[in-house]
Amino acid sequence: MKAFVTAVALATSLCASITAVEARELRLAPGGPPTHPAHTPLYSTLAEELPKETDGALTGLILGTEVVNIGGMKGALQSSVAEVGNVLPLYYPGDLPNSALVGDLAFLGRDPHVMGAAMTEYVATCEDCQAEFARMGGVFAGAGSSDVYVLLTTKPVRTKADLQALRLRSGGAPFARWAEYVGAVPANVPVSDTFETMSQGVIDGTMGSVSDLTSYRLVDLARYVVELPLGTYHATSNFTVNTDTWRLLSAEERKGFMRAANKANTAFTQNWGFERPGEAREAAREAGLEFIEPDAALVELTAAFVEDDLKAAVGIAENQYGITDAEAKIARFRELVEKWTGIVEDAGHDPEAIAAAVQAEVWDKVDYESYGM
């Protein structure tokens, strides 16, 4: 009997060892520091959920910014330094023009969960988007969104006059166009370099999430939070999977990966769009930053920009991105924003309910034998 028990124990141990060996550890690159929501909860949630959703077949190792930062993400994925990476299409409009197109509609953003879900469904169901990701060597696995952007500055901004020649970091083309429209000077600076460039006086502030105050320590530099709504940053491909890696996964493993990614995407938007901004505002008050409500004329000027920019969006897409059917694609994205506005409202902004809706509306409809292949 004792020999039998010993044999069973050895067999169980051997099976466990084989299972452990067979588990594939994916190299995950958030491109941001642990203090940024791209790391926690976005990639930390993915790493936690992967083994749960794949019965232990997949796990994840998170790479630090010293290995892969956000600016080097494309190269890291193409060289397989990272197998899953956080790609921002507005950084690569030449490679991802169709994804950048809807990111260009940043000023439509009023609700983070709506914009993250709309971006996810748009790219996942857009043949041209899928083709451009394939050419870049990646597979799209969902998007998320920031809170509504504001100005974080070292100088007070109350009127249009205060913006003249003010140097502001821009995270992409729509924000740069707004800056030029109101007389400011946009600077193409990676978000990870905001602290350094602001501390050196190269820029006077940034158009960004208020949570950047704590994520990138801007609370030590900025003196003002200007409550001027500048749309959302939803042009994200939070989990871009190296195509060669994706092909090595079984259909069931891909499906499990997407379930894990979907949970992480929603957690990310909840954190970046709602939770962190509240914490950052509290930190700003404690640090003595001044919150400024701009005058009505500046608010109206920004509203005028939104209308003018939407009218110009088709021409921008055709001339800059070479997209010939831009009008139909913009209309499609606006329909999705309207659709997800209703779904998010019906869900009562509950993150779990929103994640379930995205799973049902998008990822459960995907053929994992062919998606990304």
Side-chain angles (χ1 to χ4, degrees):
M1 181 66 179
K2 183 177 180 180
F4 174 75
V5 171
T6 300
V8 170
L10 287 171
T12 302
S13 176
L14 179 60
C15 288
S17 298
I18 292 172
T19 300
V21 170
E22 290 179 347
R24 182 182 182 87
E25 183 180 68
L26 301 176
R27 296 184 294 279
L28 314 177
T35 54
H36 193 276
H39 186 290
T40 306
L42 183 61
Y43 271 71
S44 62
T45 300
L46 179 69
E48 180 182 344
E49 293 293 333
L50 271 177
K52 297 178 184 178
E53 295 292 348
T54 63
D55 293 327
L58 300 177
T59 62
L61 172 67
I62 298 178
L63 306 177
T65 53
E66 71 280 4
V67 180
V68 183
N69 60 31
I70 198 69
M73 194 61 65
K74 173 185 168 183
L77 282 167
Q78 291 179 335
S79 65
S80 296
V81 169
E83 292 175 290
V84 182
N86 183 11
V87 169
L88 303 179
L90 287 176
Y91 279 38
Y92 308 107
D95 295 287
L96 304 171
N98 284 277
S99 301
L101 167 64
V102 289
D104 240 7
L105 306 176
F107 281 76
L108 288 177
R110 289 293 178 267
D111 185 300
H113 277 307
V114 169
M115 302 311 288
M119 181 76 182
T120 294
E121 182 168 3
Y122 183 86
V123 178
T125 58
C126 162
E127 290 185 7
D128 289 338
C129 301
Q130 292 294 310
E132 64 197 20
F133 268 96
R135 285 192 294 271
M136 196 180 76
V139 178
F140 174 79
S145 175
S146 71
D147 55 332
V148 177
Y149 271 18
V150 294
L151 294 176
L152 308 173
T153 63
T154 57
K155 300 176 182 179
V157 175
R158 294 182 173 85
T159 68
K160 178 184 177 182
D162 296 329
L163 282 167
Q164 302 313 294
L166 199 72
R167 296 160 299 179
L168 298 172
R169 177 208 165 254
S170 165
F175 306 104
R177 291 197 299 272
W178 172 83
E180 292 171 347
Y181 189 91
V182 300
V185 179
N188 185 17
V189 176
V191 67
S192 55
D193 294 340
T194 307
F195 184 93
E196 182 179 359
T197 52
M198 192 183 294
S199 66
Q200 294 174 348
V202 176
I203 58 174
D204 302 306
T206 179
M207 299 168 272
S209 167
V210 72
S211 66
D212 288 350
L213 289 170
T214 49
S215 297
Y216 292 102
R217 300 184 296 120
L218 300 187
V219 71
D220 297 333
L221 299 174
R223 300 270 55 89
Y224 305 94
V225 177
V226 185
E227 303 280 24
L228 184 65
L230 300 176
T232 52
Y233 199 108
H234 56 264
T236 62
S237 176
N238 289 340
F239 304 118
T240 309
V241 187
N242 170 282
T243 301
D244 291 336
T245 298
W246 184 254
R247 288 172 177 163
L248 292 174
L249 306 182
S250 68
E252 280 303 307
E253 288 169 346
R254 294 171 194 155
K255 188 174 182 179
F257 180 95
M258 286 300 193
R259 287 195 299 266
N262 182 53
K263 290 181 178 179
N265 283 323
T266 307
F268 167 70
T269 298
Q270 178 66 18
N271 187 269
W272 194 21
F274 299 96
E275 295 168 2
R276 288 203 183 213
E279 296 168 0
R281 289 176 185 278
E282 183 59 31
R285 294 186 185 95
E286 292 177 359
L289 274 67
E290 181 181 348
F291 287 76
I292 295 177
E293 293 288 344
D295 70 2
L298 183 51
V299 174
E300 290 170 4
L301 181 63
T302 299
F305 162 77
V306 174
E307 291 302 316
D308 290 345
D309 201 54
L310 282 173
K311 293 174 184 176
V314 173
I316 292 170
E318 291 176 348
N319 296 328
Q320 295 185 10
Y321 299 149
I323 298 173
T324 57
D325 54 350
E327 187 171 2
K329 288 178 176 176
I330 291 170
R332 168 64 176 154
F333 184 69
R334 297 188 77 170
E335 289 172 0
L336 288 172
V337 171
E338 184 176 352
K339 167 187 172 177
W340 282 100
T341 296
I343 292 175
V344 169
E345 288 176 355
D346 289 344
H349 275 81
D350 176 67
E352 290 189 8
I354 294 168
V358 175
Q359 185 66 43
E361 290 287 325
V362 181
W363 299 120
D364 284 349
K365 297 178 180 180
V366 165
D367 176 3
Y368 290 98
E369 294 286 353
S370 60
Y371 184 82
M373 302 298 284

